[in-house]
């Protein structure tokens, strides 16, 4: 009898301890959001949320299966892992999931993005993000360009949207990606495929459901003072203005090879061929390109980038990341 009582008491104590142990771990769920923010930094790499995504034809699609699986996976982990291992595992899963989506986007882009199409895709980035201004709550990298293709300043961009749409349809069949993310990654890949720097792009932007206000893009006819003021309103310094202008090194504006992303743009700016009477040389560049080499502050950076391609690549990469993040609204974890 005594032995039976002791055994019962022992089992009761063990059960209580076990129950207490599992109750201790459940509050971890309430910390999940902050944990993923620490691991993934402010809503990056959201692999597949339940956010509504619109494609160019207006179709609405949702993707919540991965989120549900993720929650189910997280719900079973406390019974399998110590707390510190659970923290590491959930964070790793979030990063792994986002990285998988990022690689999928790059893979599909590689099938449709050629050097000849790179300049148009990169231009798409500037025209989507270029509507942002710091003192307004609208504009920026939000995919609204798909509603703005009839505007005169966006002439020719329908072709670039169609290039990305081919890749986007393949990705959407697995888990929808926003136009904002698609364009941001597409521009980075356009730079890379032409020999420029590799630019990491965070995922998780939300799309706008309407066009941005008109008249927000920098005008091609602005002089240097006007360009600097325009970019300042968007949060960019003169250095970043000059670095981003280097995107004109690819395409048909006459700065070296149209499919080679290098520092030829700055070297040719210093030569000022538009001042020559030698035929087509007057057709090189836009008035805004000519303007920055006439400004002392801009000229300092033009000269530096003409002499140091690595510096240009690094500064362009940083300015590009800033450009595709400006004005973006992000998915919540």
């Amino acid at each position: 009898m005594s032995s039976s009582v002791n055994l019962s008491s022992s089992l009761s104590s063990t059960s209580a301890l076990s129950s207490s142990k599992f109750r201790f771990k459940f509050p971890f769920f309430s910390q999940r959001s902050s944990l993923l923010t620490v691991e993934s930094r402010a809503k990056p790499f959201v692999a597949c949320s339940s956010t509504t995504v619109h494609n160019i034809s207006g179709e609405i699609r949702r993707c919540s299966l991965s989120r549900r699986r993720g929650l189910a996976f997280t719900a079973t982990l406390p019974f399998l892992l110590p707390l510190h291992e659970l923290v590491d595992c959930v964070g790793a899963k979030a990063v792994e999931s986002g990285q998988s989506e990022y690689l999928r986007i790059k893979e599909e882009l590689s099938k449709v993005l050629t050097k000849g199409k790179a300049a148009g895709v990169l231009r798409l980035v500037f025209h989507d993000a270029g509507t942002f201004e710091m003192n307004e709550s609208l504009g920026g990298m939000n995919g609204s360009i798909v509603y703005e293709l009839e505007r005169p300043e966006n002439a020719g961009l329908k072709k670039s949207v169609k290039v990305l749409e081919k890749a986007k349809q393949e990705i959407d069949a697995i888990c929808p990606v926003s136009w904002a993310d698609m364009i941001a990654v597409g521009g980075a890949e356009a730079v890379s495929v032409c020999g420029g720097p590799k630019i990491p792009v965070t995922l998780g932007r939300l799309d706008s459901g309407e066009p941005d206000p008109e008249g927000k893009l920098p005008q091609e006819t602005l002089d240097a003072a006007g360009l600097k003021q325009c970019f300042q309103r968007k949060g960019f310094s003169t250095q970043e203005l000059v670095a981003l202008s280097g995107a004109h090194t690819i395409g048909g504006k006459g700065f070296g090879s149209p499919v080679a992303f290098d520092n030829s743009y700055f070297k040719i700016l210093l030569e000022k061929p538009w001042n020559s009477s030698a035929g087509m040389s007057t057709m090189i560049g836009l008035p805004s390109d000519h303007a920055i080499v006439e400004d002392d502050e801009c000229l300092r950076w033009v000269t530096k980038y003409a002499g140091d391609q690595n510096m240009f690549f690094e500064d362009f990469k940083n300015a590009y990341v800033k450009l595709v993040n400006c004005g973006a609204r992000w998915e919540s974890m």
Side-chain angles (χ1 to χ4, degrees):
M1 181 71 177
S2 175
S3 174
S4 176
V5 170
N6 290 339
L7 177 59
S8 175
S9 175
S10 176
L11 288 173
S12 176
S13 298
T14 302
S15 176
L17 178 60
S18 176
S19 175
S20 173
K21 180 179 180 181
F22 290 131
R23 284 201 303 271
F24 173 76
K25 293 189 176 183
F26 284 131
F28 175 75
F29 298 142
S30 65
Q31 302 169 13
R32 182 171 181 267
S33 176
S34 61
L35 167 68
L36 294 183
T37 300
V38 171
E39 290 291 333
S40 307
R41 197 188 188 288
K43 302 170 282 298
F45 298 130
V46 178
C48 188
S49 73
S50 57
T51 302
T52 301
V53 180
H54 300 259
N55 65 15
I56 195 170
S57 64
E59 178 186 359
I60 300 177
R61 305 189 63 180
R62 293 178 182 271
C63 184
S64 58
L65 181 58
S66 295
R67 177 63 59 84
R68 291 196 298 269
R69 286 176 177 171
L71 289 174
F73 175 78
T74 305
T76 60
L77 277 180
F79 298 95
L80 305 175
L81 298 175
L83 183 59
H84 71 280
E85 292 182 18
L86 176 59
V87 172
D88 293 340
C89 184
V90 174
K93 285 290 180 181
V95 174
E96 179 184 342
S97 179
Q99 184 67 12
S100 175
E101 182 185 7
Y102 186 72
L103 293 176
R104 186 183 305 124
I105 295 173
K106 292 184 63 172
E107 179 183 1
E108 293 302 327
L109 282 171
S110 70
K111 300 175 184 178
V112 299
L113 183 58
T114 63
K115 289 183 178 181
K117 298 174 181 176
V121 171
L122 184 56
R123 179 171 170 245
L124 197 59
V125 176
F126 281 78
H127 283 237
D128 190 32
T131 56
F132 173 73
E133 291 195 3
M134 290 192 301
N135 62 346
E136 298 183 8
S137 58
L138 299 175
M141 198 70 208
N142 57 16
S144 67
I145 188 69
V146 299
Y147 304 108
E148 302 158 7
L149 296 174
E150 300 301 326
R151 295 178 181 177
E153 64 268 27
N154 295 328
L157 288 179
K158 285 184 180 180
K159 293 180 180 179
S160 299
V161 169
K162 288 181 179 179
V163 170
L164 295 186
E165 188 174 24
K166 291 179 181 178
K168 189 175 185 299
Q169 287 174 347
E170 296 298 320
I171 299 164
D172 285 347
I174 301 173
C175 185
V177 59
S178 68
W179 269 109
D181 277 350
M182 197 72 204
I183 294 170
V185 179
E189 290 304 295
V191 171
S192 179
V193 78
C194 290
K198 296 187 182 302
I199 307 174
V201 177
T202 297
L203 301 183
R205 296 168 189 77
L206 295 173
D207 280 341
S208 172
E210 59 186 10
D212 284 340
E214 297 188 53
K216 299 299 182 180
L217 293 179
Q219 299 178 11
E220 296 177 353
T221 56
L222 288 175
D223 59 14
L227 283 171
K228 289 195 288 187
Q229 290 174 3
C230 179
F231 273 74
Q232 187 176 31
R233 290 196 300 270
K234 301 177 187 299
F236 291 88
S237 66
T238 298
Q239 176 188 2
E240 291 166 331
L241 156 64
V242 176
L244 289 173
S245 297
H248 287 175
T249 196
I250 59 173
K253 298 178 178 65
F255 295 103
S257 169
V259 295
F261 194 97
D262 53 26
N263 66 338
S264 295
Y265 171 80
F266 302 104
K267 293 178 178 180
I268 294 174
L269 278 184
L270 293 178
E271 297 172 1
K272 301 181 181 180
W274 51 88
N275 289 335
S276 170
S277 58
M280 296 298 291
S281 61
T282 56
M283 303 297 292
I284 294 176
L286 302 171
S288 56
D289 295 316
H290 306 169
I292 64 173
V293 79
E294 301 296 339
D295 177 82
D296 289 342
E297 185 180 10
C298 291
L299 180 59
R300 287 199 296 272
W301 290 109
V302 170
T303 304
K304 287 183 178 182
Y305 294 150
D308 192 336
Q309 181 168 280
N310 289 334
M311 177 186 289
F312 164 52
F313 278 13
E314 183 65 20
D315 287 353
F316 181 88
K317 178 182 70 175
N318 293 334
Y320 182 92
V321 170
K322 182 175 179 178
L323 178 68
V324 298
N325 288 346
C326 68
R329 294 181 300 112
W330 301 90
E331 293 182 18
S332 58
M333 294 302 293

